[in-house]
Every structure is written in structure tokens, then in C-alpha cells.
Amino acid sequence: MKVYRYWMDTGVDLRVRGGADAYLRGCPSRDVLDMIGSKWTVLIVPALREGPLRFGELRRRLDGITQKSLTQTLRTLERDGLITRTQYPTIPPRVEYALTDLGLRAVALLAGVRDWAEANLADVLAARAAHDARADS
Amino acid sequence: MKVYRYWMDTGVDLRVRGGADAYLRGCPSRDVLDMIGSKWTVLIVPALREGPLRFGELRRRLDGITQKSLTQTLRTLERDGLITRTQYPTIPPRVEYALTDLGLRAVALLAGVRDWAEANLADVLAARAAHDARADS
DNA sequence: CGGTATCCCCAAGGATACTG
DNA sequence: CAGTATCCTTGGGGATACCG
């Protein structure tokens, strides 16, 4: 793990670690970015913060999501150890999803992203507007 | 901005703010996530931390990147106010890219993501391995 | 209720070639 | 040197239909 210590905060030549492809594919940044970059992850994980939810409850909360996308995202989150899936053998079936400790820590990460957005998004949007106003392209 | 205060840390019914589509498209989470989720942004922004770099220097540092992707990402970052582009009218041309204050603050955000990865990625990978080991699917 | 299975679209990003 | 232009591939995610 330590070999990646400076994977995104330094200017040193990254190629010294064995080639760009190896760097890019091996670097943990991809993993974590793919996780939080997933369209629904950022909504599902915080939604479970207050306690477990059933499949249908999640679907209603994320009103625009399709069954497939919800199932898919939940499976990935379960595989990555962020949530647990508990199935009760009743009829009709009842399935509950809950955050793990790791999932709870992910909420904290997302909170960091949220805080950055709240603090800086106005600047981003202003810069974008100013740039677009200079529509000399 | 305040209307989005709880865009990713609460369990309240998000639909109260006018429907899921409006929520999803209007929510700042998309903007910031698209920014940091871009494949090359997380490498370009920190690369400029030590000081300005020329186009070719960036390309060599991000060894696997294509000219198109580099140009594209730099244009987006410039539009969002994270970097500046300075062109010197010499022959051959010389173009330098540098972080703005906003860009510097983005480095801090990326550092937060990095810190999370360093602290928790081992758990994610372990969970994934354990899940895959139960290959009863 | 809580899924699978299938088809489809489209935008991000790579490969390649050309230029002021 | 620092790009633009063009073509092409890939896969995330939506729509729809069916199932234990």
C-alpha cells in the first residue's frame, strides 16, 4: 500500500514505478474513484445512514432509479463491504440493506466531498459562467 | 445553495424538493462528482501542485494519456476555474498550465479522497476478496 | 416483493492522422 | 510544440419483460 503513498499529491515522475499503464491500472485511485463516482452510490450509501432499508424503500427514495441499476449498485456495494444484505425467508420475501462500519466511514468521505462542494461550488459555477460569457470560441 | 444542504447526508424523502429528476439534475453532487470522477482530473490537478507545467510536460508525466484526452480535460478544468492557461506567442509556441486558488483547494479535496483510500482501501479489497472467495454464484 | 434477463443508446475516452 | 479533426470502441445505465 505504501508504494502508492504519493499517488495523487506529488509532482514526481510517476513512471519510475514501472510504466504508466501499470501505474494507472494498479493505482488505488481508480478503485475508490470508481466507487464514489458511481451515479447511485452517493445517494444510496447516505440513505442508509439512519438505519436499514428494504429494497422497495430504497427504490422509492431514489425515485428515478430502475430496478436493474438499484440491484446492480447494491450488489457492488455489498461486494465492496460497504453494506450487508439480509434476506428473511418469508412470503412475500423481505430483504434489508444496512451499512457496515466501512460503509459508515464512506458516508464520512462523501460528507467531505459535500463540504467541498458547499464551500467551492459557487466559485466553480461562477468561473464557468464567466468563461462561457467570453463566448469568443 | 442552502436548499441542497442535506443533499447527501440525510434519509429524508428527497422528492419533497420537486421530483426525483429535478433533484438529480439540480443537485450539486453531480457537478462535483463529475469533476473529481473524471479519469484524468485526479492526476492532472495534483501534478500542477508544485508549479506550472507545459503541455508536453504534463503529457509525459501522464504517460498513458492521449493528446485529445489531455486537451479535453485541461479545457474543462480551465472552464471550471481550477487552472489557468497561459500562451506565450513564441515560435515554437509555449503554453503553461497552473493551478488557481480554487484548483489548490481541489488538491485538498483530492487529498481527502486519497486519505480515505489509504485508510480504508485495504478493507474494501479484503471484503471483495472474501466475497469472491464465496464463489457460490 | 424483490428480483433476473435482454435489448438498446449514448457519451467518455482511445487510436490515428493532420496542422499553425 | 501544442494542438484539431475524425473514426471507433466500450460499458454504464435506462426501458421493458418475465420469475420464485
Side-chain angles (χ1 to χ4, degrees):
Chain A
M1 193 69 63
K2 193 166 181 309
V3 70
Y4 299 117
R5 181 72 186 78
Y6 44 91
W7 58 279
M8 62 164 48
D9 71 342
T10 181
V12 303
D13 192 332
L14 301 164
R15 290 171 299 166
V16 299
R17 291 213 304 287
D21 283 340
Y23 160 68
L24 286 172
R25 281 197 277 269
C27 179
S29 70
R30 285 292 91 213
D31 293 271
V32 64
L33 253 8
D34 287 349
M35 253 185 49
I36 71 169
S38 166
K39 176 169 183 178
W40 297 108
T41 296
V42 293
L43 297 173
I44 292 176
V45 171
L48 293 172
R49 193 187 182 189
E50 308 295 319
L53 288 177
R54 300 181 58 175
F55 186 89
E57 292 173 327
L58 276 169
R59 184 172 41 169
R60 276 186 295 278
R61 185 150 305 177
L62 313 169
D63 202 23
I65 199 170
T66 60
Q67 280 185 327
K68 176 193 163 189
S69 295
L70 181 53
T71 300
Q72 212 169 247
T73 309
L74 288 171
R75 292 285 180 275
T76 302
L77 290 173
E78 188 193 4
R79 175 170 183 257
D80 286 349
L82 298 185
I83 65 172
T84 58
R85 177 180 184 275
T86 308
Q87 180 174 341
Y88 300 94
T90 59
I91 293 180
R94 174 190 180 88
V95 179
E96 278 190 355
Y97 295 91
L99 287 186
T100 61
D101 283 356
L102 184 55
L104 213 50
R105 273 176 273 152
V107 175
L109 172 67
L110 298 178
V113 176
R114 176 204 59 202
D115 291 345
W116 191 92
E118 290 190 350
N120 298 286
L121 200 60
D123 286 355
V124 172
L125 297 180
R128 203 178 285 177
H131 184 272
D132 292 352
R134 297 189 294 273
D136 41 307
S137 59
Chain B
M1 191 67 63
K2 193 165 183 309
V3 68
Y4 298 118
R5 180 71 185 79
Y6 42 91
W7 59 279
M8 62 163 48
D9 70 341
T10 181
V12 303
D13 192 332
L14 302 163
R15 288 171 299 167
V16 299
R17 290 213 304 286
D21 283 341
Y23 161 67
L24 287 173
R25 281 197 278 269
C27 178
S29 71
R30 284 291 92 214
D31 293 270
V32 62
L33 251 10
D34 288 350
M35 253 186 48
I36 71 168
S38 165
K39 177 168 183 177
W40 297 107
T41 297
V42 292
L43 297 173
I44 291 176
V45 171
L48 294 172
R49 192 186 183 190
E50 308 295 320
L53 289 177
R54 301 180 58 176
F55 186 89
E57 291 173 326
L58 276 170
R59 184 173 41 168
R60 275 186 295 279
R61 185 150 305 178
L62 313 169
D63 203 21
I65 200 171
T66 61
Q67 280 185 326
K68 177 193 164 189
S69 295
L70 180 53
T71 300
Q72 211 170 247
T73 309
L74 288 172
R75 293 284 180 275
T76 302
L77 290 173
E78 187 193 4
R79 175 169 183 259
D80 287 349
L82 297 184
I83 65 172
T84 58
R85 177 180 184 276
T86 309
Q87 179 173 342
Y88 301 93
T90 59
I91 294 181
R94 173 189 181 88
V95 179
E96 278 190 354
Y97 295 90
L99 287 186
T100 61
D101 283 356
L102 184 56
L104 213 48
R105 274 175 273 151
V107 175
L109 172 68
L110 298 178
V113 177
R114 176 206 57 201
D115 291 345
W116 191 92
E118 290 191 349
N120 298 287
L121 199 62
D123 286 355
V124 172
L125 296 180
R128 203 177 285 176
H131 185 272
D132 292 352
R134 296 190 294 274
D136 40 306
S137 61

